[in-house]
Amino acid sequence: MHVHCVCLLALALPSTASPAIGRSDTSKVFEWVELAKDKQKKGMPDSAEYYFKRAGELATILDYDKGKLSFAGNYSVFLYEQVRFDEAMEYAQQALEISQRLQNRTKMAAAYNNIALQHQARGRLKNAAHHLMKALEISSGIQNPTSQNLSDRRKYLNNLSSLFLDLHDLEKGLQYAWQSFEIAQQLRDTVSMGNSLINVMVAEAMSGKLASAIRHGKQYLAIGRAYGDLQMEIKALNNLADVYRMQKLYARALTTFQQALSITPASMPGNEVYTLSGISRVYMEMGNPRKAKEHFVRAFQLAQTELAKPQLVDMYETGADIEEALGDYRQALDLHKKHAALKDSLRDQETEKTIQELEVRYETAQHRKSIAERDLKIVEQAAELSRKDKWLVIYIFSLLILISGLVGIRLLNRQKRRVQAAELEKKLVEAQLAGEEKERARTAKELHDGVASILSAARMQIDTPLSYDNPRAAFQDVGQLLDIAVREVRNISHNLAPEMILQEGFADAIHSFCRRINKPGFQLDCYILGELPNLQQSAQLAIYRAIQECVTNMLKHADATCGIVQLACEKDRLSITVEDNGKGFDAEGIWVKGIGFANLQSRMRFLNGTLDIRSFPGRGTSVFMEIDCSVHKDRQQGIAIEQELATTSLS
């Protein structure tokens, strides 16, 4: 289980030409860099390298530092993905020199991160940690960070997690993976959440928490498929297959590895190695060393050129076990020696001590920064209080003059607010009634088209004269039709009265609803991160209806093939995300102005929540809802729990 997520950072800058350089020429540098990145993403490495080199040559001819920086940073990322680590290091160092000359701290941190990745790939973990900590120190020192700055910091934390996983420090690896995930969640970046979850999954699997690892692996797989990210899908399948192997579910493990192998292109080096070596381990544990060696030989040949040095440790160990099982003890001993030597070189005490010291220094610097910011805030507050004291007399005098006028204005505003509140309440009631009427119409249609037609068919079957030869078959047909009608009525009743389901648990109600939505051609996945709070039933029902409204509109308007419903609770904040890969719509379009949107807004007002809808034609739709749960907690249930705890402690 070593398929970590290593986050690369491309250095792209806006095109701002100096007066001595033609704007069209400098723009061409960035245009070629972006074209190269697009070719790289589409799995066309030869075309990507061609356009990268053209961009670099033009930037050199123009002696344009910003263009050189964009080329060097992005080309370094490309070379790393092509397993050309020495060349990648050369261009990453060029990017660092240029960013230092331009005093661009954001790109400086990115360059340090890229250099750290090259050191890690070569097994120089001490150097990797040194440069990665430099990237984090620079990123953390940026005042008023933008979304891009936070996204960069998330990548550095995720890479630090990967470094600790290479050292088998699972606690630190999991700690930094969750920190990375929290930033992605703050940015509402689903893909970045997935890239952080893969390291969480690896740490959990290595720690023996296999059920949790599978849950996070399936989330990662769903995100990769929803966003069409082939690299994410391959990683998810390989890691899930490896966990199935740990559970001794060998048939499922082989099937999942084969799925990964079938979609792995030659333009993504490294992925096939993991798949083949995983299949080899499965056959080895099944007691078939010959079949294991067949796949291992292919994997080992690729690993010599496509794997980073830390990932060769497990390859040597697997090969030694296979040769020993086949009776080739000389070859087994040779591989055991290589495994031990490489493992010792990566995890010697001096290296681990140095990395721990760097981590402590980083955390200490962060603590000092927090103290300094706090002291500065105290000084600023003291200065503000002193200034306020000087003007206090003037304020009091001014207030005495204005107080009579304010009283009159307040009375007028109070009357105005009453009128506005009455109008708002009227609109909310109208929206609620319209929603209920819409629900009644939908239910009536389902009863007419579904249940009524089934019962009519049953009536016709009863009215038809029975055959004397086989009357039992006719009654069985009627019974089957009645069973179908009962299931239809049950589904309709669950949609009409979800409070019946909520009695069995709010989370189960959400999962049950999403399962009922699934049908051929459409897959709706539901994920709940953390433990949902105990809410009043009215609040649970409002949240259920809000999710139901979003999914209903997804089915009616989006033409989607898959969707995600995700609930994440942190303290008293409940975040709800409903996404699809459908056709999207204009944010000023019909649905936003319709009854469905009004219903969602009214429910968010009731829940003291916020609503954010993002959609563009052809790019799917994302609905984000955030709710303050502290005002909707079920107090009676909380009191009952406290009483039960008190009784337990007394006994």
Side-chain angles (χ1 to χ4, degrees):
M1 174 65 64
H2 287 290
V3 191
H4 319 320
C5 177
V6 177
C7 301
L8 305 172
L9 188 63
L11 300 169
L13 290 171
S15 176
T16 51
S18 63
I21 301 172
R23 182 174 298 274
S24 60
D25 291 334
T26 58
S27 297
K28 202 68 178 176
V29 174
F30 297 105
E31 181 182 331
W32 281 338
V33 167
E34 291 302 317
L35 184 57
K37 288 166 61 180
D38 183 61
K39 298 292 185 183
Q40 177 185 356
K41 186 176 180 181
K42 292 179 178 179
M44 304 167 64
D46 293 338
S47 297
E49 184 155 19
Y50 170 76
Y51 285 108
F52 271 130
K53 288 185 175 180
R54 290 194 67 181
E57 290 168 358
L58 180 57
T60 302
I61 292 171
L62 298 173
D63 194 21
Y64 182 40
D65 276 348
K66 291 184 178 180
K68 292 177 185 177
L69 179 56
S70 178
F71 157 70
N74 285 288
Y75 192 44
S76 171
V77 172
F78 168 77
L79 292 170
Y80 177 87
E81 291 186 351
Q82 295 300 309
V83 203
R84 294 157 62 181
F85 302 129
D86 292 336
E87 296 174 79
M89 175 68 82
E90 176 186 348
Y91 286 98
Q93 289 174 337
Q94 286 184 23
L96 178 60
E97 292 171 4
I98 299 170
S99 62
Q100 288 174 333
R101 186 163 64 246
L102 296 176
Q103 296 184 346
N104 188 325
R105 294 179 61 80
T106 299
K107 306 307 176 187
M108 201 184 304
Y112 275 117
N113 175 69
N114 282 347
I115 292 173
L117 294 180
Q118 315 316 318
H119 281 303
Q120 186 176 357
R122 288 304 188 194
R124 299 187 286 263
L125 302 187
K126 187 188 302 183
N127 292 333
H130 173 75
H131 286 85
L132 193 52
M133 290 302 178
K134 287 286 293 182
L136 276 167
E137 287 173 6
I138 294 172
S139 176
S140 300
I142 295 175
Q143 299 293 331
N144 302 318
T146 63
S147 296
Q148 184 60 50
N149 295 141
L150 291 174
S151 179
D152 293 346
R153 192 178 306 170
R154 185 208 68 80
K155 295 173 185 176
Y156 307 152
L157 288 169
N158 212 37
N159 288 345
L160 187 58
S161 168
S162 175
L163 181 62
F164 277 111
L165 291 176
D166 279 343
L167 289 168
H168 279 239
D169 190 337
L170 307 183
E171 182 179 351
K172 289 289 179 63
L174 189 60
Q175 171 190 334
Y176 286 110
W178 277 124
Q179 288 185 23
S180 173
F181 178 82
E182 288 170 3
I183 294 177
Q185 193 174 39
Q186 177 184 345
L187 295 172
R188 294 179 175 177
D189 187 339
T190 304
V191 173
S192 294
M193 288 184 202
N195 287 330
S196 300
L197 278 177
I198 191 64
N199 278 1
V200 172
M201 177 194 182
V202 171
E204 289 174 337
M206 293 171 72
S207 303
K209 301 174 183 176
L210 303 184
S212 183
I214 287 178
R215 186 173 71 253
H216 289 125
K218 287 182 177 179
Q219 285 181 250
Y220 183 61
L221 177 62
I223 293 171
R225 285 174 172 171
Y227 285 87
D229 193 317
L230 186 59
Q231 184 76 28
M232 290 177 67
E233 186 175 353
I234 295 169
K235 283 182 180 178
L237 289 171
N238 278 330
N239 279 280
L240 282 170
D242 213 25
V243 178
Y244 294 143
R245 175 189 63 81
M246 295 178 184
Q247 293 180 321
K248 302 188 184 305
L249 302 174
Y250 298 127
R252 182 179 295 183
L254 286 174
T255 300
T256 308
F257 273 130
Q258 291 295 342
Q259 288 179 12
L261 194 62
S262 67
I263 62 174
T264 302
S267 59
M268 291 184 180
N271 290 290
E272 188 176 357
V273 180
Y274 289 119
T275 308
L276 292 172
S277 62
I279 294 173
S280 175
R281 282 195 296 271
V282 173
Y283 278 121
M284 188 62 190
E285 293 183 15
M286 291 174 65
N288 190 344
R290 294 190 181 280
K291 197 72 173 177
K293 184 172 182 178
E294 176 185 332
H295 289 85
F296 177 79
V297 169
R298 291 169 57 197
F300 195 73
Q301 290 173 347
L302 294 171
Q304 301 303 307
T305 57
E306 294 186 3
L307 277 195
K309 195 172 182 180
Q311 276 71 57
L312 287 173
V313 175
D314 292 335
M315 291 289 294
Y316 286 132
E317 185 176 28
T318 301
D321 292 340
I322 293 173
E323 297 296 348
E324 187 173 346
L326 291 172
D328 191 342
Y329 300 109
R330 180 182 296 276
Q331 183 67 16
L333 178 61
D334 181 58
L335 289 170
H336 271 304
K337 288 180 178 179
K338 290 181 179 179
H339 168 259
L342 181 56
K343 184 178 180 180
D344 290 342
S345 70
L346 292 174
R347 300 168 191 164
D348 64 88
Q349 292 183 352
E350 182 183 353
T351 297
E352 294 190 14
K353 181 181 177 182
T354 302
I355 292 175
Q356 290 171 357
E357 289 174 352
L358 287 169
E359 183 198 12
V360 170
R361 189 178 68 185
Y362 166 69
E363 291 181 346
T364 302
Q366 290 295 100
H367 182 61
R368 288 174 179 170
K369 178 186 173 186
S370 299
I371 293 174
E373 290 176 347
R374 185 195 63 190
D375 292 343
L376 178 61
K377 190 173 183 179
I378 291 173
V379 171
E380 290 175 347
Q381 289 175 344
E384 181 68 15
L385 287 173
S386 177
R387 185 182 65 83
K388 288 180 178 178
D389 288 342
K390 295 177 182 178
W391 290 93
L392 184 58
V393 176
I394 298 175
Y395 289 157
I396 294 174
F397 182 73
S398 300
L399 287 173
L400 290 173
I401 296 174
L402 294 174
I403 193 167
S404 58
L406 290 175
V407 170
I409 294 173
R410 184 178 179 183
L411 292 173
L412 291 174
N413 286 339
R414 182 181 296 176
Q415 182 63 27
K416 184 178 180 181
R417 284 197 298 271
R418 287 176 180 172
V419 174
Q420 289 175 341
E423 291 178 354
L424 177 60
E425 184 177 359
K426 179 182 177 183
K427 289 181 180 179
L428 291 176
V429 171
E430 290 175 350
Q432 187 69 26
L433 290 174
E436 292 176 357
E437 189 62 31
K438 180 181 176 183
E439 185 67 18
R440 291 192 189 97
R442 185 185 65 79
T443 303
K445 186 174 185 301
E446 289 181 358
L447 287 170
H448 179 270
D449 295 346
V451 179
S453 60
I454 294 169
L455 292 177
S456 296
R459 175 60 183 272
M460 291 175 63
Q461 190 73 20
I462 293 171
D463 290 342
T464 302
L466 301 178
S467 171
Y468 288 102
D469 296 333
N470 191 10
R472 182 180 298 274
F475 283 112
Q476 287 177 347
D477 291 342
V478 173
Q480 289 176 357
L481 289 171
L482 292 176
D483 286 341
I484 294 171
V486 169
R487 286 198 299 272
E488 288 291 325
V489 171
R490 183 180 296 114
N491 287 335
I492 294 170
S493 67
H494 280 176
N495 286 333
L496 284 175
E499 59 270 16
M500 296 172 60
I501 309 173
L502 296 181
Q503 293 174 359
E504 302 174 3
F506 181 39
D508 289 340
I510 300 297
H511 277 297
S512 176
F513 168 71
C514 293
R515 283 195 299 270
R516 293 199 308 274
I517 293 300
N518 286 328
K519 60 182 181 179
F522 182 79
Q523 176 70 29
L524 181 63
D525 293 308
C526 178
Y527 302 108
I528 297 179
L529 305 179
E531 185 175 351
L532 297 182
N534 295 319
L535 301 177
Q536 298 171 358
Q537 189 167 351
S538 59
Q540 294 183 18
L541 184 56
I543 295 171
Y544 182 95
R545 288 299 191 195
I547 294 173
Q548 188 180 44
E549 184 72 42
C550 294
V551 173
T552 299
N553 280 286
M554 181 194 304
L555 294 172
K556 289 177 62 178
H557 305 294
D559 290 339
T561 59
C562 64
I564 297 176
V565 174
Q566 178 173 288
L567 288 81
C569 187
E570 183 177 0
K571 295 182 179 179
D572 286 331
R573 305 299 298 180
L574 177 61
S575 301
I576 304 171
T577 304
V578 182
E579 294 184 330
D580 64 68
N581 66 345
K583 63 184 180 181
F585 60 89
D586 186 350
E588 300 296 328
I590 297 174
W591 187 76
V592 174
K593 299 177 182 178
I595 293 173
F597 184 62
N599 285 341
L600 275 180
Q601 284 183 315
S602 66
R603 290 192 174 98
M604 286 303 103
R605 290 193 188 96
F606 167 71
L607 294 165
N608 291 341
T610 59
L611 175 66
D612 183 15
I613 299 175
R614 302 180 184 180
S615 182
F616 298 94
R619 293 170 58 183
T621 301
S622 298
V623 180
F624 302 102
M625 294 170 277
E626 192 170 70
I627 299 163
D628 181 4
C629 299
S630 60
V631 297
H632 298 289
K633 285 189 175 179
D634 190 339
R635 306 299 179 188
Q636 294 300 323
Q637 186 171 358
I639 293 171
I641 293 172
E642 290 177 3
Q643 290 175 345
E644 182 179 346
L645 290 173
T647 304
T648 304
S649 62
L650 287 172
S651 61

